[in-house]
Amino acid sequence: MAITLEQVNTAPRAEALQLLDGLYEHSPWIADKALDARPFQSLAHLKHTMAQVLREAGRDAQVKLIQAHPELAGKAMVSKSLTAESTNEQGKARLTDCTPEEFATLQKLNADYNAKFGFPFILAVRGPRGDGLGKQQIIETFTRRLQNHPDFELQENLRNIHRVVELRLNDKFAAATAPGDDVWDWQETMSQYSDPGYLEKGQLTVTYLTDAHRACAAYISKTMRACGFDEVKIDAVGNVVGIYKAATPGAKTLLTGSHYDTVRNGGKYDGRLGIFVPMACVRELHRQGKRLPFNFEVVGFSEEEGQRYKATFLGSGALIGDFKPEWLDQKDADGITMREAMRNAGLKPEDIGKIKRDADNYLGFVEVHIEQGPVLNELDLPLGIVTSINGNVRYQCEVTGMASHAGTTPMNRRRDAAAAAAELLLYVERRAAQDGDSVGTVGMLQVPSGSINVVPGRCFFSLDLRAPVDAQRDALVADVLAELKNICERRGVHFTTELTERAAAAPSAPVWQQRWEAAVQSLGVPLHRMPSGAGHDAMKLHKVMPQAMLFVRGQNSGISHNPLESTTSDDIELAIQALMHLLTHLSPEKQ
Ligand SMILES: [Zn+2]
């Protein structure tokens, strides 16, 4: 029979420990120590507490725990000496019926992994949805992780152990993650639509107004209707707009949403999570026959990533009247103008001006988004509070020195353009790190028509500098440009810089940030506040209404813009609960 949190909180210690038996492999001390923190507010609270216990126990205890685990599809599985929990998990991943080839591959990986790291490879084989990874996925993950640094792999093993425990706890408590599972499934279903050239390779690419893009819009519309939205339509720029009406007419509207386009060979959750999570909330409200004191408008933004055309944020930009008619003449790689693409898709570009929202009718904008970074994953936290979307500045730079013979030019007579750029690159790294939360990147670095035996005469490079507030970003930019000048003067080379982008930081509206914080606290999940390094649709809405964002942890070190992007249905479930809390505790009179 399923146990309850109430039982764990109130039972005598020995009994409570018995209830939590079998969570961490042969290591009941973790649950035991966690019981010091009773009462637990939620299952998420209990999970996080145990993760903290292990974090604080230190490296020796962590390695010992890892070593207490059986090898994946190893001797213990063959001799049937696994714990009942492990047998269940390895069985769910169908590791118990490996072909001889698969078995041999896994044995080799086990041996290589053990030799490199000195502990066994651990993977939560039930996966992000809890229903089992495929054997091929397991072998790929194993192969990929063999390349990691030992310190990283130690932590990655621990994170997988926590995930195993999370699923074991769900079983014990018969915890339902049904809406989270559904959102996970919606994302999986929608990921079947991908642009030609990528679909065949099993990659996800959905760019503006392609057939795959329109199939996504149709899928979102259909799912919105099934959830119980009152109005669902596709607007002039291709946004899918769903409205769940307020209890009374004339009420203001809360806006939410994110984008459904992707980068090339991207992930399934970037953007889409912020459409499906609110849809799950509407479905729940509709099931309960409950209306909110405000309209709830969920928008699947048609374009954010700037993949097919140069212009970006077409979907959210149009809502604030920031859609420039000249963009319609931009051409894609095949020479198709945006105007033609819109007409082919049945959209009316002449109506784009009409979809601009009147901010006076809106309470604000909230956005749920996958973090796209490693922070929450490292902290064992499912959710994060966004304090600000970083402002950024981008430059294209060129250093000109003197190309000369690599053999005959003495080191003290060179005017090496690439060495100057390299010196600046290292300065950018140092200077951005000084701020703690600024970031600086030289992502493009080129010696045009360079040769192995020529001192570089020219070097192109890019600069991307970001910080949570504009003043901090501007100070960073000023220092970097001053250092570039110093370096170039000292080395006797010239430089030019061209500003290509400048976007203001978008700090969260304090009152909306607090609403997300209250929502996360209600789940018993510790608060973690962080800036967003990436740009989001909320940046656009920020120009006309208050906004705040919630981040959801990504798996695989939070990797994004990559097919390895992943999140669990448990974390999605918590995001749904957080948004539900925000919605049901928001009273428009108090604005
Ligand atoms: Zn995104």
Side-chain angles (χ1 to χ4, degrees), residues 415-491:
R415 291 165 58 207
D416 185 329
E423 207 180 317
L424 185 77
L425 190 157
L426 293 175
Y427 176 78
V428 167
E429 197 177 43
R430 259 194 333 269
R431 173 60 185 80
Q434 243 173 47
D435 288 343
D437 52 4
S438 294
V439 287
T441 307
V442 175
M444 290 153 71
L445 187 61
Q446 245 182 31
V447 177
S449 45
S451 300
I452 194 165
N453 56 355
V454 178
V455 175
R458 286 163 78 207
C459 185
F460 288 124
F461 63 95
S462 60
L463 274 177
D464 178 307
L465 305 168
R466 309 187 193 205
V469 273
D470 291 344
Q472 182 180 326
R473 174 205 60 187
D474 293 343
L476 171 66
V477 172
D479 284 356
V480 168
L481 294 181
E483 183 64 11
L484 177 59
K485 188 162 174 279
N486 287 340
I487 293 167
C488 291
E489 277 174 8
R490 178 161 38 81
R491 289 176 167 271

Side-chain angles (χ1 to χ4, degrees), residues 48-277:
H48 182 75
T49 306
M50 291 193 294
Q52 280 303 105
V53 167
L54 186 59
R55 177 189 297 272
E56 284 156 16
R59 193 187 160 97
D60 288 350
Q62 293 166 356
V63 171
K64 215 169 149 205
L65 170 68
I66 293 171
Q67 283 168 339
H69 282 72
E71 280 186 345
L72 208 62
K75 291 180 206 82
M77 188 190 82
V78 177
S79 66
K80 299 197 165 36
S81 61
L82 292 174
T83 59
E85 290 85 359
S86 286
T87 304
N88 172 31
E89 286 144 10
Q90 301 210 8
K92 273 205 167 125
R94 288 161 289 276
L95 285 169
T96 38
D97 60 10
C98 282
T99 63
E101 293 75 29
E102 287 166 343
F103 191 70
T105 304
L106 284 165
Q107 292 323 301
K108 169 98 171 69
L109 286 165
N110 274 325
D112 292 350
Y113 189 96
N114 266 304
K116 177 168 176 186
F117 300 111
F119 44 72
F121 169 76
I122 297 172
L123 178 64
V125 290
R126 281 174 66 186
R129 169 69 159 78
D131 52 2
L133 294 171
K135 270 182 283 194
Q136 203 45 44
Q137 262 176 305
I138 292 172
I139 289 170
E140 278 167 18
T141 307
F142 208 154
T143 309
R144 175 167 49 80
R145 280 180 45 190
L146 252 179
Q147 308 303 320
N148 286 336
H149 188 277
D151 292 343
F152 177 87
E153 228 7 68
L154 175 75
Q155 295 305 319
E156 189 67 2
N157 270 342
L158 297 179
R159 287 190 281 269
N160 274 278
I161 289 174
H162 294 315
R163 174 62 185 156
V164 169
V165 169
E166 177 165 66
L167 290 162
R168 289 179 180 179
L169 265 176
N170 289 351
D171 291 346
K172 265 186 190 294
F173 286 75
T177 53
D181 289 343
D182 290 342
V183 166
W184 200 94
D185 292 344
W186 291 342
Q187 308 204 114
E188 200 63 19
T189 306
M190 198 157 87
S191 73
Q192 70 182 287
Y193 307 118
S194 185
D195 289 351
Y198 298 91
L199 182 68
E200 299 79 353
K201 288 186 261 179
Q203 297 178 350
L204 179 64
T205 301
V206 176
T207 59
Y208 191 45
L209 298 182
T210 59
D211 288 349
H213 186 269
R214 292 164 65 192
C216 288
Y219 179 73
I220 296 168
S221 306
K222 187 181 86 177
T223 312
M224 277 182 170
R225 286 198 187 89
C227 287
F229 281 80
D230 298 298
E231 287 174 19
V232 179
K233 59 174 186 255
I234 295 178
D235 72 14
V237 79
N239 295 328
V240 185
V241 182
I243 296 172
Y244 188 65
K245 285 188 180 158
T248 51
K252 286 197 173 191
T253 300
L254 174 65
L255 189 63
T256 189
S258 196
H259 59 98
Y260 64 88
D261 69 324
T262 73
V263 294
R264 296 194 169 85
N265 196 16
K268 297 170 187 171
Y269 305 89
D270 176 6
R272 296 158 173 219
L273 197 62
I275 306 169
F276 289 135
V277 164

Side-chain angles (χ1 to χ4, degrees), residues 302-333:
S302 54
E303 204 283 340
E304 190 256 20
E305 302 281 10
Q307 301 285 303
R308 183 169 177 187
Y309 296 98
K310 259 189 171 174
T312 59
F313 293 94
L314 298 178
S316 49
L319 260 56
I320 63 161
D322 185 11
F323 186 99
K324 297 189 174 55
E326 59 265 30
W327 290 346
L328 294 169
D329 298 317
Q330 287 186 1
K331 286 181 182 163
D332 70 3

